[in-house]
Amino acid sequence: MDSCLIFAGTSNVELSKKIVKYLNKELSPINIYRFKDGEICVKIDENIRGKDVFIIQSTCPPVNENLMELLITLDALKRASPRRVTAVIPYYGYARQDRKDQPRVPITAKLVANLLVTAGADRILTMDLHAPQIQGFFDIPVDHLFAAPVIIKYLREKKFKNPVIVAPDVGSVKMARAFAKRLPGGLAIVDKRRESPDKVEMLYVIGEVKGCEAIIVDDLISTGSTMIQAAEALLEKGAVEVYGSCTHAVLAGDAIEKLNNSPLKEIIITDTIPHQNLPNKFTILTVSELLGEAIKRIHLETSVSSLFI
Ligand code: R5P
């Protein structure tokens, strides 16, 4: 792993440190600073000529700052003649704008893909994309990991008597089915109707949840409305307790307070997005080993696909 250098942007230093710890490495030196007018400047403080370079940066809030910082860092790296640059993006922001669902709107997930490649990424390593087809927005290799193995391991330790995995909307059914198969447990779907980007309305619960421990699985929690309304609908249908789980805890606005005051018994998230001092109701699992292992296999050019489960 000597010719592999790993740099971290400022968005998720804690996760980056855990990743290099798993790999028995140190983060390589980089100086990221702001000019007085807010412009970002980056100085790579190590020779990277001919090296296999990884830059870890989640494009989480503040998303525009973190994205721009990643683009500028990629530019700095590319101009220093490395052999290859892999952008490790544990959380890929703007992923929800992945299609034209109404006239005259952007496809920002594609724009971001174009920007990353133009800036200098030769390869992308990411996790639980909101829409898996975003991989196809890139004409460079994309390794797409899932946090499911980490979350399922934790859920199994709870030794549920009668668990049912719940998709809080149709878009999450594939993810829920994978969880249900591997936990194992039953499968249910909450039929979610969205009134506006920040307001949802729950209608029906499809599947048997009465007397079950319900575990809602989603790729992300933003305002928390989806999770909370799904939990309320499940309790109304007779679930004995409801857990929420997601890979990316965006937790926008007053989501933390809302979720903490909700009937959800526990909210299980990962560290793709950093959070400090969350209430006890939140359990943070680390995906550092998964990402670290993927970095190792990419560098050693061994198969990464066994991690895609
Ligand atoms: C929707 O398609 C996603 O999978 C999430 O369910 C959604 O983005 C969560 O948003 P919020 O927490 O604001 O309801």
Side-chain angles (χ1 to χ4, degrees):
M1 294 288 288
D2 283 352
S3 62
C4 156
L5 297 179
I6 303 176
F7 294 89
T10 60
S11 71
N12 199 341
V13 176
E14 212 175 303
L15 173 63
S16 307
K17 283 185 179 161
K18 286 185 184 159
I19 291 173
V20 287
K21 189 169 178 215
Y22 173 79
L23 294 168
N24 273 322
K25 285 183 74 71
E26 299 279 333
L27 286 170
S28 290
I30 182 170
N31 188 5
I32 301 173
Y33 54 98
R34 260 111 185 126
F35 294 115
K36 286 231 160 42
D37 60 1
E39 289 184 1
I40 300 167
C41 193
V42 171
K43 168 93 169 67
I44 312 295
D45 285 328
E46 183 171 345
N47 175 25
I48 62 167
R49 193 173 289 272
K51 297 282 167 66
D52 191 15
V53 171
F54 294 81
I55 165 71
I56 305 169
Q57 175 84 324
S58 277
T59 50
C60 54
V63 56
N64 298 333
E65 281 289 315
N66 288 331
L67 174 61
M68 198 64 203
E69 184 188 295
L70 175 58
L71 296 172
I72 292 171
T73 307
L74 284 168
D75 188 72
L77 291 167
K78 195 68 187 175
R79 290 174 193 279
S81 309
R83 177 166 69 79
R84 176 175 65 182
V85 180
T86 301
V88 181
I89 310 175
Y91 170 64
Y92 187 98
Y94 280 119
R96 281 173 288 175
Q97 296 180 39
D98 63 340
R99 65 195 181 285
K100 279 189 74 168
D101 55 356
Q102 47 183 313
R104 300 176 296 282
V105 294
I107 305 181
T108 318
K110 169 64 177 154
L111 172 65
V112 170
N114 289 347
L115 290 170
L116 290 167
V117 175
T118 302
D122 297 308
R123 185 174 196 105
I124 305 288
L125 170 61
T126 189
M127 182 168 269
D128 282 312
L129 286 166
H130 177 67
Q133 61 271 23
I134 291 172
Q135 289 171 76
F137 292 178
F138 293 89
D139 284 328
I140 55 172
V142 177
D143 291 307
H144 182 207
L145 300 177
F146 303 101
V150 174
I151 300 172
I152 289 170
K153 182 165 178 270
Y154 176 80
L155 292 173
R156 278 191 189 138
E157 285 162 10
K158 293 195 168 284
K159 304 208 180 309
F160 292 120
K161 288 196 182 74
N162 195 11
V164 59
I165 301 292
V166 182
D169 58 23
V170 176
S172 308
V173 172
K174 201 169 168 211
M175 185 183 206
R177 199 183 293 130
F179 270 72
K181 191 173 164 198
R182 295 177 58 203
L183 188 60
L187 178 66
I189 301 164
V190 176
D191 182 21
K192 177 178 84 171
R193 300 285 157 92
R194 192 172 274 280
E195 289 183 337
S196 68
D198 292 328
K199 195 159 175 243
V200 298
E201 187 188 344
M202 294 300 173
L203 292 178
Y204 306 109
V205 176
I206 304 164
E208 192 48 66
V209 300
K210 198 167 180 201
C212 299
E213 300 106 337
I215 305 135
I216 307 166
V217 297
D218 210 342
D219 60 319
L220 66 87
I221 301 176
S222 181
T223 64
S225 305
T226 303
M227 208 44 93
I228 294 168
Q229 292 187 34
E232 286 165 353
L234 291 163
L235 288 168
E236 209 171 285
K237 291 285 174 193
V240 287
E241 51 192 26
V242 184
Y243 294 75
S245 132
C246 79
T247 305
H248 310 297
V250 178
L251 304 180
D254 59 354
I256 295 174
E257 196 187 332
K258 268 168 48 189
L259 288 159
N260 197 36
N261 295 330
S262 76
L264 284 154
K265 189 174 164 76
E266 183 179 350
I267 298 145
I268 301 142
I269 62 176
T270 81
D271 56 357
T272 58
I273 297 176
H275 286 288
Q276 267 98 43
N277 307 320
L278 285 178
N280 290 340
K281 191 179 268 199
F282 291 80
T283 299
I284 308 177
L285 306 176
T286 186
V287 288
S288 54
E289 296 191 6
L290 209 47
L291 287 163
E293 187 59 31
I295 289 174
K296 185 164 133 195
R297 293 184 190 198
I298 290 168
H299 175 64
L300 298 176
E301 300 192 331
T302 56
S303 172
V304 180
S305 59
S306 60
L307 301 175
F308 297 167
I309 49 170

